[in-house]
Every structure is written in structure tokens, then in C-alpha cells.
Amino acid sequence: MLMAYYMVLGVYKAEFTRDYWSWGILAIVCACAILPPSRLWVRQKFYEFFLLTHIAFSLPFLIGYYYHIWYLYKYNLSYEIWMFVAGEVWGVNCLVQAIRMDLNGSRTALVSSIQDADGDYTRIDIEGKEIKGDVAYLCFTTLSWRFWETHPFSEKSESTAIPAAPVSTPSTCTLSNSNLALATFIARARTRVTNQLSARVFKENGSARIRVLIDGPYHHSGHVSSQLSPCSSIHYIAGGVGIKACLPYLKKTAAQKPAKLFWSNRKSGLETEPRPVLAALANNVQVVTNVGERLDLDAVLSKELVGSNKENDLLGVVVCRPLGMVDDVRQKISEVSQRFLMSRPYVLIEDASSR
């Protein structure tokens, strides 16, 4: 509209040659170009590409915005303050990340392939560090030449102590013989960094030691505990490595109210990983596991939503990964509620992280 207005006035050619116009065009182009690489499927499948383009377009956008304002208004109208605010937020975020990584220190990660999973799943054990949060960003400094990249991993288990381990053999890498804290992540080989981890493990005959820096932990932004507290019972629905995201919530609420865990996974080997933790849960927790087949979400949700007529009988539903299953649960629970007008009230909490 501005260009059309200038053309009507006959000043378009004169304005086009001015510096403020050129810097404004740069800022607009970068602001538009940053949108396509920010789409969800790009972030899931090409996270590194998203991160690179996000930085590559954000920096010239801020510079172009600043000079566009400066050449047009100098410092008379204070429009430039928004560039300073954005730059400060970005800079403080990078500084806080660096400080957190420095405080966590350099750690050793024992990366191994989960047995009976056809190499699809990788276990990451980090010595000497407790991870009490929902997401941590891991930087594998020796995995590739891009040593500065951090990647989100949220399939965690509660920190435990490392028992004394046997002496390593040439084909086996074990944790050190000391009682240290242990944080465990499980990742599916689907993106570049997880594929690189899987390839390194395969190259080193089943397990590998890699230096890692930790940025985090970061907690769930939805205040899950307060949302689940009024619920009389809770259903946990997990797919694959999403079981690790369910476990912290399950441990906090299992002693207070009855719960059911419905877990489906593609490989039988993945089922053995959380077995000790599941066995230690309270007696009022019912665990249903499906291997190699999908959960019948319609039957599960219909039974619980329609099966109670008590007043104030609030049902909590926590669904953790993958993204497609989270969408299915949201759709099914909406359909059941519309089909049965007297169904139970519910609270739906979603954790749809891609890793």
C-alpha cells in the first residue's frame, strides 16, 4: 500500500533510492523468509536447518530494522527501542545458556544401542549429573565439526545412583566404578544428531563415550501438578519413548490417586528399559502395554469418560508423544465428549515433543 501511495504521488523513484528504503526492504525480506523454515515439520525433520536459518535471517532483520528507523527518524520517535529490546533478549538468552552449560560442567555420556530394537533407539546415560526437569539441551562437542549445536532431549528418567560397574572389555564401554548421579535419556534415531549418535554406537560395537555439555533443565510451562491435583483419577497415554516423559508425572501422583498407564511401542526391546521403574510404582497404578500395535484410543477413552456418573469426578488425561498420537487423543476425547453429553469432565495435558 505504501508503494502504491508513493507511485500515486509520483515520489516512488525518489524514495526508492534513499537508504531507509533499502534497509527496510532488507528487514521485510528477512522477516518473510524466516517463516517457511519455522514450520513444525521442518523443525522436526531438519532442526539444524531451522536453527541456522533462524539466526541467519534474524540478525539481518534486526540490523535492517535499526538502520531503516535511523535513516528515517534518527532517534526522534524512539522506534529503535524495540530493536534494542529484541537484541538484549537474544543476547541475555545466549549468555544464560552459556552460564548454565558452564555451571553444569563438561560430562561424559555413555551412548548405547537398546537391544532388540533394531538400532532404532539409543540410550544416553550422563554421569555425575541430576536432571530434574522436562527438557534438557545436549551439546555433543565431539560428535561433529558443529560442536556448538545444542539439541533438545526430553525423554528422561529420574536421576539415580550408578552402581559399581565391571571392567570394560574392548567391545564394551561401561560407566565408571563410582557411585555417581546418573541421568538417562532415550532417543529414537530419526534426525541428523540422533542418526549420528546411532552411527557412532554402531561404529564402536554397541557403545561409545562422548563428551557432552548440558543446557538445562527446563520445566514444563503448563504447571502440570496444579492442573492434575483436582482430578480423582489420571490416565497416562504414551507412545514409544514418550514413556520417559510420563514417568515423572506418574511418580508424583501415583501415591495420591489411582492411575492407569497405557503404553504402546514399536519394539520389544524398548519395553525392558523402564521395567524397574514401573515395577516400583504404587499398587493403585495399572499398566497396560502394547508391543507392535497401536492403542485402541476410542475404547480406552470411551470406557473412562462414560463409565462414571459421580459429581466432581474429574478425569486427568496426560498424553506423551508422538505428535500423531497426541493429535489422535485430542480428536478422540473431543468426539467422545460430543457423543455422550453426560460424560465425565476431563483435563487434557499434552507433551508432544518430537524427541
Side-chain angles (χ1 to χ4, degrees), residues 103-118:
L103 292 176
N104 286 327
S106 179
R107 305 288 175 176
T108 298
L110 175 61
V111 185
S112 57
S113 179
I114 295 179
Q115 296 182 355
D116 300 324
D118 298 331

Side-chain angles (χ1 to χ4, degrees), residues 336-348:
V336 172
S337 298
Q338 294 177 6
R339 196 163 60 238
F340 302 96
L341 299 180
M342 299 301 293
S343 61
R344 287 175 74 178
Y346 64 88
V347 174
L348 177 61

Side-chain angles (χ1 to χ4, degrees), residues 13-24:
K13 291 184 178 180
E15 294 295 324
F16 181 79
T17 59
R18 295 179 62 183
D19 291 333
Y20 89 92
W21 187 278
S22 301
W23 286 107

Side-chain angles (χ1 to χ4, degrees), residues 316-337:
V317 179
V318 180
V319 54
C320 300
R321 304 163 180 77
L323 181 62
M325 191 182 72
V326 173
D327 292 338
D328 290 342
V329 169
R330 189 190 312 113
Q331 178 182 354
K332 294 293 182 182
I333 202 170
S334 178
E335 291 175 354
V336 172
S337 298

